[in-house]
Amino acid sequence: DAKTTQPPSMDCAEGRAANLPCNHSTISGNEYVYWYRQIHSQGPQYIIHGLKNNETNEMASLIITEDRKSSTLILPHATLRDTAVYYCIVDSGGGADGLTFGKGTHLIIQP
Amino acid sequence: KAGVTQTPRYLIKTRGQQVTLSCSPISGHRSVSWYQQTPGQGLQFLFEYFSETQRNKGNFPGRFSGRQFSNSRSEMNVSTLELGDSALYLCASSPPSVRGLTEAFFGQGTRLTVV
């Protein structure tokens, strides 16, 4: 079973920040939080990952709570092309034993 | 640089037949993983290869097998196809990392339909 809980769907207005929450209350000390997204009919795309510090790259920011039991992926200025299913995954090796995908959050960006 | 390439993109097979899918990883990536995606079960890990050796395997029957060649290209084979094997099969490659795998780069997938 996936070790994460995400809302099944979310809406966000184009141009606004999209904040996607993820609960991972049973995360272990050596497990990272990874985010991937899957645009319809394409393969998943890596977005970002982190251990305990907040992380930022050209795509998104990842905010991890101090107790590491939850995190938030932030897309700062959502566009229509960000409409996708977003998966939050906890993993100690980045996929060596296979990534465990849950059902993810279907993010819909509204014009 | 070129991404992960999967061939063919679409395939239709008959129950009982076998099928071979191909995956060419990103240049320099030695780890290749395979996943099955269906509407009911979502994305599920099949197996992972590194330097021509299967390192990890998911919970799939023995009809599902794979191999990796010396150039890191990988194939997966499904024998005695069943209707339930209809799915999107995704391949992912990962770069070398001191800690282990860091991120996976996925191909566009092969859509297999079993009739």
Side-chain angles (χ1 to χ4, degrees), chain B residues 9-100:
Chain B
R9 288 294 311 277
Y10 302 93
L11 206 48
I12 300 175
K13 288 287 189 178
T14 304
R15 269 182 303 175
Q17 286 186 313
Q18 74 163 17
V19 67
T20 299
L21 312 181
S22 179
C23 173
S24 293
I26 292 172
S27 177
H29 290 192
R30 292 163 61 190
S31 169
V32 174
S33 300
W34 289 88
Y35 292 80
Q36 181 197 64
Q37 185 171 28
T38 60
Q41 299 298 319
L43 270 155
Q44 293 185 289
F45 170 70
L46 280 156
F47 29 65
E48 186 250 352
Y49 285 86
F50 181 84
S51 292
E52 302 179 64
T53 301
Q54 185 182 91
R55 288 200 300 193
N56 294 291
K57 191 176 190 306
N59 189 26
F60 277 82
R63 298 186 297 108
F64 293 81
S65 62
R67 59 178 174 167
Q68 187 179 34
F69 302 94
S70 58
N71 62 358
S72 295
R73 190 177 70 85
S74 177
E75 289 180 347
M76 70 161 281
N77 185 77
V78 188
S79 62
T80 319
L81 284 165
E82 300 175 1
L83 295 179
D85 296 333
S86 295
L88 180 66
Y89 289 88
L90 291 156
C91 165
S93 73
S94 297
S97 168
V98 173
R99 182 180 64 79

Side-chain angles (χ1 to χ4, degrees), chain A residues 53 67 69 74 93 99 103-104 107:
Chain A
N53 298 321
D67 63 8
K69 293 186 177 182
I74 301 172
L99 295 168
K103 297 191 182 301
L107 175 67

